[in-house]
Amino acid sequence: AQSVTQLDSQVPVFEEAPVELRCNYSSSVSVYLFWYVQYPNQGLQLLLKYLSGSTLVKGINGFEAEFNKSQTSFHLRKPSVHISDTAEYFCAVKWTSYDKVIFGPGTSLSVIP
Amino acid sequence: KAGVTQTPRYLIKTRGQQVTLSCSPISGHRSVSWYQQTPGQGLQFLFEYFSETQRNKGNFPGRFSGRQFSNSRSEMNVSTLELGDSALYLCASSPTIIQGNDEKLFFGSGTQLSVL
């Protein structure tokens, strides 16, 4: 069965430090990959997505992610975090033969001043 | 364009009751998906509707049901509520379920359901 794993449930990081949030999924069959962010008391917003083409995708707020097909991973990175980046981050995968988007359990990013 | 609207924002019910949640998608969007969000579990897929038809269903008991109307608005119903049904229920819409560059879910702010 398809699954999405986010190994880190909580990631504390100091302001202006780099951060990487990890995401792995269960199958290397054709997929679309997404990262969503959820700020407190809000719904989810799309940060970035990979559909095809370059494996390095850039999103909003300075985030980027790299698709690695052999490792079935789509890790999210930011070179320098800001207090306003404190939020819950969700990795999501849609297998193109299967019209359902599966979300990972989320990673809570806390930026420490 | 107005975003995805979910009503009510908060609900408090007791065990055994039933509840109906409403979702109005972005105008022109025909696909509506429902997710249950709980701490530690992330988002669990409930079901997806497209043009009034349920296209996909997650692994939830039959107490969870939904429907979509001709104007794409969707409702989700939970009968015989249990304590474990307490969660944030999120609705998401998208233009179409056909794959393409518009692939993206637009989320509402959710309905926070508390079962006492």
Side-chain angles (χ1 to χ4, degrees):
Chain A
Q2 292 92 343
S3 66
V4 180
T5 304
Q6 292 180 248
L7 289 175
D8 307 303
S9 59
Q10 296 184 352
V11 173
V13 62
F14 285 103
E15 193 174 15
E16 298 183 5
V19 70
E20 178 180 84
L21 306 183
R22 296 179 291 170
C23 172
N24 290 85
Y25 56 96
S26 58
S27 168
S28 62
V29 175
S30 182
V31 293
Y32 294 157
L33 302 164
F34 309 84
W35 276 97
Y36 284 84
V37 61
Q38 184 179 35
Y39 298 105
N41 300 315
Q42 295 185 27
L44 281 71
Q45 319 172 19
L46 181 70
L47 263 182
L48 48 78
K49 63 183 177 183
Y50 170 81
L51 302 181
S52 64
S54 172
T55 57
L56 182 65
V57 293
K58 294 188 184 298
I60 61 172
N61 301 338
F63 283 93
E64 63 181 31
E66 186 159 19
F67 167 51
N68 187 317
K69 187 174 182 178
S70 63
Q71 295 186 3
T72 60
S73 68
F74 190 55
H75 300 332
L76 180 70
R77 301 185 185 99
K78 186 169 182 178
S80 176
V81 295
H82 189 265
I83 294 288
S84 60
D85 294 323
T86 294
E88 190 86 14
Y89 291 80
F90 293 92
C91 178
V93 181
K94 180 175 179 176
W95 284 264
T96 56
S97 58
Y98 187 57
D99 281 327
K100 192 163 75 177
V101 179
I102 306 295
F103 283 80
T107 296
S108 178
L109 174 65
S110 299
V111 180
I112 306 163
Chain B
K1 237 181 196 180
V4 178
T5 304
Q6 290 188 247
T7 55
R9 185 71 179 90
Y10 299 95
L11 262 180
I12 299 175
K13 293 285 187 180
T14 56
R15 280 184 301 172
Q17 287 187 307
Q18 76 165 18
V19 66
T20 299
L21 313 182
S22 179
C23 172
S24 294
I26 291 172
S27 177
H29 286 193
R30 296 167 64 191
S31 172
V32 174
S33 301
W34 288 89
Y35 291 85
Q36 181 194 66
Q37 183 180 10
T38 54
Q41 295 288 320
L43 277 73
Q44 303 292 314
F45 175 78
L46 281 154
F47 24 68
E48 178 193 11
Y49 288 87
F50 181 79
S51 293
E52 302 179 67
T53 300
Q54 188 181 89
R55 296 284 302 209
N56 285 293
K57 190 175 189 305
N59 297 322
F60 278 81
R63 300 185 297 106
F64 291 81
S65 63
R67 58 179 175 168
Q68 187 180 34
F69 302 95
S70 58
N71 62 358
S72 293
R73 190 177 72 85
S74 178
E75 286 182 349
M76 190 192 95
N77 186 77
V78 188
S79 62
T80 319
L81 283 166
E82 300 177 359
L83 295 179
D85 297 333
S86 295
L88 179 67
Y89 290 87
L90 291 166
C91 166
S93 74
S94 64
T96 177
I97 59 170
I98 298 172
Q99 300 150 10
N101 285 329
D102 286 334
E103 193 74 47
K104 177 180 174 180
L105 291 173
F106 295 80
F107 282 85
S109 297
T111 294
Q112 183 67 55
L113 172 64
S114 299
V115 182
L116 306 178

